[in-house]
Amino acid sequence: MAKRAFITGITGQDGSYLVELLLEKGYEVHGIVRRQSSTIRPRLDAVMSRKDLPLDKLHLHYGDLGDGGGLVRLVGKVQPDEVYNLAAQSHVRVSFDAPEYTVDVVATGAMRLLEAIRDVGIQPRYYQASSSEMYGLVQQIPQTETTPFHPRSPYACAKVFAHWATVNYRESYGMHGSNGILFNHESPRRGETFVTRKITLAAARIKLGQQKRLALGNLEARRDWGYAKEYVEAMWRMLQQAEGDDYVVATGETHSIRECLDVAFGAVGLNWHDHVDVDPKYYRPAEVDLLIGDPGKAKKKLGWEPATKFRGLIELMVEADERLLRDQLSGKPIWSY
């Protein structure tokens, strides 16, 4: 009998790649989507366009992490073997503008989902999407599973709560709960307001004459960037272990926004200095200057390590964005690559 997975945040970057992975592995996949007037979901449309996947095993349900009663009903109906909590208001800068909403979705939403599982009385394996942003003002370089957290945004504070809630339910109720402390992970499916995608899309647009300037904030910030499509494999592997645990998922390398600009604009034969402006409105009230993860535990216990490193990732994204824009110009059907 096929395993049954339940995913929150299924319409996001990670959710869409996880759907593909699980369908390829023979899972029956259930996900919750919020009720909206538009049913256009570009990332899931990319999945639905694949004729090689058993799409009859993908089921979408209306729901929201703000609705605890609805979560209880859905978890009871689906009876999942595995639960992946990926839903979030995940834009760090936006979390300063909408802190209460961010905390309600990210922190209290995770608690509602954990309680729904407990109320229904089942014992699925549970994955919580933790974040490298929890380290904030870093206390150790590189960051490991035992590095103390010092969050520097409402989003990061909410993620710390959800992280420790998962540990608490693991220790209090014997739940098979795992936290994936994922460092920045990108792809052609990344939202257009996130800095890497903002850069790769701008480089492609400027190359094709569709944009003239790009405005960014802090160019000195350094991050550990990996490929989201590979990171969802680590999520799945966590839930195949005998016991729940916490894992850093990262490349072990750190690169600056300037380096990202070098690679992205270089890929289209341009000098970013001719096209980029620094705008203070994009600065965060409290900045995170440097993140770099140590994925040693994930490699040792999960057998996972990244195949795509920084340069290859950014070049992959620029190529996909160029292809996307050319398809738009030619009138071809557009999918999120």
Side-chain angles (χ1 to χ4, degrees), residues 90-152:
S90 59
H91 198 288
V92 177
R93 181 62 189 83
V94 170
S95 77
F96 286 98
D97 301 322
E100 292 183 38
Y101 171 72
T102 299
V103 170
D104 187 58
V105 173
V106 177
T108 314
M111 181 62 77
R112 292 188 187 105
L113 183 55
L114 288 166
E115 274 295 281
I117 293 169
R118 198 165 71 89
D119 286 349
V120 172
I122 59 175
Q123 288 290 327
R125 299 187 172 192
Y126 177 85
Y127 172 83
Q128 169 61 36
S130 290
S131 168
S132 60
E133 287 287 333
M134 300 187 305
Y135 295 116
L137 189 62
V138 297
Q139 309 296 297
Q140 177 185 350
I141 299 174
Q143 292 86 59
T144 72
E145 293 80 6
T146 59
T147 301
F149 300 136
H150 189 136
R152 300 267 283 172

Side-chain angles (χ1 to χ4, degrees), residues 179-314:
N179 286 300
I181 309 173
L182 270 59
F183 281 65
N184 294 65
H185 45 293
E186 319 297 319
S187 76
R189 297 181 188 175
R190 191 57 145 151
E192 294 180 12
T193 60
F194 290 84
V195 68
T196 49
R197 184 75 195 290
K198 192 175 179 180
I199 289 170
T200 62
L201 192 56
R205 283 175 173 161
I206 291 170
K207 175 68 175 180
L208 296 176
Q210 297 180 355
Q211 183 174 332
K212 292 184 178 180
R213 310 292 302 176
L214 170 63
L216 296 173
N218 180 15
L219 303 187
E220 311 308 324
R222 302 183 68 85
R223 295 291 185 271
D224 185 327
W225 279 301
Y227 187 18
K229 187 174 183 178
E230 297 171 355
Y231 281 34
V232 298
E233 171 81 22
M235 299 178 188
W236 175 78
R237 291 193 183 199
M238 290 178 207
L239 299 199
Q240 311 316 304
Q241 304 306 301
E243 297 180 348
D245 205 346
D246 307 325
Y247 299 89
V248 163
V249 179
T251 68
E253 298 180 2
T254 187
H255 298 274
S256 69
I257 303 295
R258 288 181 181 275
E259 290 176 82
C260 185
L261 288 165
D262 284 337
V263 175
F265 279 78
V268 294
L270 297 175
N271 184 334
W272 66 265
H273 294 276
D274 298 330
H275 304 281
V276 176
D277 302 309
V278 174
D279 189 335
K281 78 176 182 180
Y282 293 111
Y283 278 75
R284 300 179 186 179
E287 186 58 78
V288 174
D289 296 317
L290 182 151
L291 292 173
I292 177 171
D294 178 356
K297 181 177 177 180
K299 181 178 181 179
K300 181 179 179 180
K301 293 191 68 175
L302 305 179
W304 179 92
E305 56 185 322
T308 305
K309 296 299 180 71
F310 174 72
R311 176 172 290 275
L313 170 66
I314 301 304

Side-chain angles (χ1 to χ4, degrees), residues 6 14 50 67 81 83 95 98 114 121 141 200 289-290 332 336:
F6 182 76
D14 295 4
R50 288 185 53 180
D67 178 10
D81 300 293
V83 175
S95 77
L114 288 166
I141 299 174
T200 62
D289 296 317
L290 182 151
K332 291 182 181 178
S336 181

Side-chain angles (χ1 to χ4, degrees), residues 1-30:
M1 185 175 176
K3 284 185 178 181
R4 192 174 296 138
F6 182 76
I7 304 173
T8 72
I10 197 170
T11 61
Q13 170 189 249
D14 295 4
S16 66
Y17 282 125
L18 183 60
V19 167
E20 290 178 310
L21 176 71
L22 295 179
L23 289 177
E24 288 168 355
K25 292 183 178 296
Y27 279 65
E28 179 183 317
V29 179
H30 295 257

Side-chain angles (χ1 to χ4, degrees), residues 315-335:
E315 290 176 345
L316 176 156
M317 291 174 65
V318 172
E319 180 183 351
D321 279 330
E322 276 198 276
R323 191 163 67 248
L324 176 68
L325 294 174
R326 292 185 190 281
D327 284 352
Q328 288 176 337
L329 290 172
S330 66
K332 291 182 181 178
I334 297 168
W335 308 111

